[in-house]
Amino acid sequence: MAELFLKQAKQYPEGRPTYQAKQYSEGRPTYPAELFQFIASKTPCHDLAWDVGTGTGQAIKPLAEIYKNVIGTDTSNKQLEYAPKLPNVRYHQTPPTMTIAELQQIVGPPSTVDLVTVAQAMHWFDLPKFYDRVKLILKKPDGVIAAWCYTGPEVNPTFDSVFDTYYNVHVGPYWQKPRELVDQRYETIEFPFEPVEGLDTTGPIEFKAAERLMSLDDFFGYLRSWSAYNTAKEKGVELLTEEVVEKFRKAWEEDGNGKKVVRFRVYLRIGRVGGCN
């Protein structure tokens, strides 16, 4: 599977310090249960799910509660170290050049997977190669692929205004181009699959927002987990300057609450593999 995970590997290379993975794990939102319930309702069987680009495993526990077996793959062992350890879940680090033989050894034979999921990662993939492997591994014709992204955090109008300026003006130049697919809510991402039963489209479908209870320090940890923040750091640029931090702090403390529920709108693309003729 030549270069399938190459772009993702560049985001979280093995050389990164372990604290980066810890920061990522602690800073990411929890996806709503309704998302997984909806996805599971579209797969006739619940035997095996493959979570691709699993990172620190934000999607793993809900999947493991529904599917008999779950496989989580990622290019970074340091990320996988922070993924939840569950009896029906196994993890594998995958190389950037994953062959079909490796795919079948790690995930399974052709037409054996009920569900492929990708949480906030598919925009980094080499999509044509990835989709070829998805079509190979999913059960025919009703195996399902579900990929979702979430957009920028929402707290309150004052804070959101500060964040929008930070995101568009300060961070914008350091995002890689695939990030635009997230900003577009996966509306424009290539997705060559058939609508699942009950839908006449493959999405994107907006779901109840993912949420995380955060302190301001937690929020800064989330910002520091961004690939764009780390790209800037590698170029000698600190995006969270004293001035920027103070603007965030002033907006955060406006209502006097130390911790706040931070919401992230979730957008799902979902499809069935069909006959792949």
Side-chain angles (χ1 to χ4, degrees):
M1 199 186 311
E3 300 179 353
L4 170 55
F5 300 112
L6 187 56
K7 293 173 183 175
Q8 185 192 2
K10 289 179 180 177
Q11 298 303 311
Y12 304 109
E14 282 300 299
R16 284 277 175 87
T18 301
Y19 78 86
Q20 290 283 97
K22 184 173 186 292
Q23 198 171 67
Y24 188 94
S25 176
E26 294 175 349
R28 296 290 153 154
T30 301
Y31 300 119
E34 293 86 348
L35 173 67
F36 297 96
Q37 292 163 1
F38 175 80
I39 292 169
S41 74
K42 303 304 180 183
T43 61
C45 298
H46 297 148
D47 295 324
L48 179 59
W50 174 28
D51 188 49
V52 191
T54 204
T56 55
Q58 277 69 29
I60 287 294
K61 186 177 179 181
L63 289 171
E65 291 174 350
I66 299 171
Y67 291 83
K68 292 179 182 177
N69 293 285
V70 179
I71 301 168
T73 59
D74 199 275
T75 59
S76 171
N77 265 334
K78 290 185 178 8
Q79 293 276 310
L80 293 176
E81 285 173 7
Y82 287 89
K85 307 304 185 285
L86 298 168
N88 62 332
V89 176
R90 56 186 173 91
Y91 296 104
H92 292 273
Q93 180 193 14
T94 56
T97 54
M98 192 177 178
T99 65
I100 291 177
E102 289 169 332
L103 174 72
Q104 295 185 22
Q105 180 181 8
I106 292 171
V107 181
S111 302
T112 56
V113 173
D114 297 297
L115 172 68
V116 174
T117 55
V118 192
Q120 192 72 0
M122 198 167 72
H123 46 286
W124 299 120
F125 292 0
D126 182 330
L127 290 177
K129 292 186 175 70
F130 174 61
Y131 289 149
D132 282 347
R133 272 48 184 188
V134 169
K135 291 175 179 179
L136 176 70
I137 209 76
L138 280 177
K139 291 179 180 177
K140 313 297 184 298
D142 294 321
V144 168
I145 175 173
W148 62 91
C149 65
Y150 55 85
T151 52
E154 298 176 6
V155 179
N156 59 48
T158 301
F159 191 85
D160 296 351
S161 177
V162 175
F163 173 81
D164 288 345
T165 299
Y166 175 74
Y167 183 86
N168 293 310
V169 177
H170 298 272
V171 185
Y174 299 99
W175 284 118
Q176 294 185 30
K177 189 171 179 59
R179 175 69 191 191
E180 293 177 2
L181 294 170
V182 176
D183 294 335
Q184 295 159 0
R185 305 170 182 176
Y186 277 8
E187 289 179 4
T188 59
I189 199 165
E190 178 188 359
F191 198 72
F193 298 94
E194 300 176 8
V196 295
E197 184 178 357
L199 297 180
D200 57 7
T201 176
T202 61
I205 304 164
E206 182 176 352
F207 271 80
K208 176 183 175 182
E211 296 182 348
R212 193 170 188 102
L213 183 65
M214 289 183 171
S215 67
L216 183 57
D217 286 342
D218 294 335
F219 187 81
F220 287 145
Y222 160 69
L223 297 184
R224 292 187 180 102
S225 77
W226 287 0
S227 60
Y229 177 86
N230 288 287
T231 296
K233 287 286 283 187
E234 289 164 3
K235 294 181 178 181
V237 177
E238 174 55 65
L239 294 174
L240 289 173
T241 62
E242 291 184 8
E243 180 183 1
V244 169
V245 167
E246 183 56 32
K247 287 180 179 179
F248 273 125
R249 190 177 305 281
K250 184 177 179 181
W252 188 273
E253 295 175 350
E254 184 179 67
D255 62 4
N257 293 327
K259 286 198 170 186
K260 294 178 172 56
V261 174
V262 181
R263 297 177 175 84
F264 304 79
R265 296 178 186 267
V266 176
Y267 298 89
L268 170 71
R269 299 297 302 268
I270 185 169
R272 61 192 286 272
V273 67
C276 293
N277 294 327

